Amino acid sequence: FLRQVDLDNKKMFNPDCLLFTVCDEHGQPVGFASRNLLYDSLKQDWERAIEEYGADSEQARDAKALMPSKFINSSQDTAETELKNRIYQKGTRLFGFHQARKCVPPLYIFEGYADCAAAYNAGLHNCCAIGATAFTEEHFNMILDIGVDHVICNLDADEAGEKGVDKFVKIVKDNTQIGLKIQILSL
């Protein structure tokens, strides 16, 4: 059973990873997200190898092979895979939403799990995170279903974050709600 629902995943559950428990809107754990703490230094090693020896060098290939994924999420049940975790569907879950819904409005939406955790720890309890830049209609509908009328989107100020904000704006425009206040926070 543990293997079937991906709870034996050594890439996710190991001492080099910071683990985030993803809960549903009621606070029940449904999956995990893991941030590899060695990723940044191993990526720098790979970039140095490219710079020093070239992108096609054996040193660069070896350094790239040592580089883990930055994030690993619980496996999801999809048409392409064998059954994994039926209750964890990343596109329908917002990290921290079960806590944030008690303190809204407004609802702050962050990109990363760590962003949300840091904001919560600093006293901003009305925040949640997408866990990526892929804000979905399911996310938006869940927010509307609990009656949130003020949303502040705060994604990273990089290219991926900008594309995520564009998608967020498109979803909001396509599902216009009277009285809904939307703000985009740019840092």
Side-chain angles (χ1 to χ4, degrees):
F1 172 77
L2 293 177
R3 204 170 305 113
Q4 186 180 15
V5 295
D6 209 26
L7 288 176
D8 70 336
N9 187 336
K10 294 190 184 351
K11 290 181 180 179
M12 187 182 324
F13 300 101
N14 71 68
D16 297 329
C17 291
L18 179 60
L19 195 64
F20 298 92
T21 303
V22 180
C23 296
D24 67 13
E25 63 275 17
H26 306 292
Q28 299 300 311
V30 295
F32 299 94
S34 171
R35 167 60 156 95
N36 192 298
L37 300 174
L38 301 178
Y39 174 82
D40 293 324
S41 64
L42 292 171
K43 183 178 179 190
Q44 288 176 348
D45 292 347
W46 173 58
E47 290 168 345
R48 274 194 297 276
I50 289 173
E51 189 176 303
E52 191 172 331
Y53 302 106
D56 295 328
S57 69
E58 182 178 340
Q59 293 86 345
R61 283 192 306 273
D62 290 347
K64 176 134 177 124
L66 292 174
M67 196 170 64
S69 297
K70 186 175 185 179
F71 280 97
I72 305 249
N73 295 295
S74 291
S75 294
Q76 301 180 66
D77 182 23
T78 65
E80 297 84 37
T81 64
E82 291 183 33
L83 175 65
K84 288 288 184 180
N85 184 339
R86 287 185 180 191
I87 59 174
Y88 177 69
Q89 298 297 318
K90 190 172 181 184
T92 65
R93 305 293 181 201
L94 290 168
F95 176 75
F97 186 70
H98 66 289
Q99 295 289 350
R101 69 184 286 174
K102 300 173 190 173
C103 305
V104 293
L107 175 67
Y108 286 84
I109 300 176
F110 291 100
E111 184 173 322
Y113 304 109
D115 301 326
C116 178
Y120 187 91
N121 192 48
L124 188 68
H125 296 165
N126 51 334
C127 64
C128 61
I130 304 166
T133 58
F135 187 79
T136 66
E137 284 192 39
E138 289 83 0
H139 290 142
F140 188 64
N141 289 333
M142 183 171 54
I143 290 167
L144 295 177
D145 286 347
I146 68 158
V148 174
D149 62 358
H150 184 185
V151 177
I152 301 171
C153 180
N154 182 21
L155 303 187
D156 294 352
D158 56 14
E159 186 177 337
E162 289 176 14
K163 287 179 182 177
V165 168
D166 291 343
K167 184 171 182 183
F168 174 84
V169 168
K170 182 183 180 334
I171 288 171
V172 170
K173 281 184 178 180
D174 290 349
N175 297 282
T176 303
Q177 298 287 319
I178 294 174
L180 179 64
K181 182 177 181 180
I182 299 292
Q183 292 177 281
I184 307 296
L185 187 59
S186 179
L187 301 176

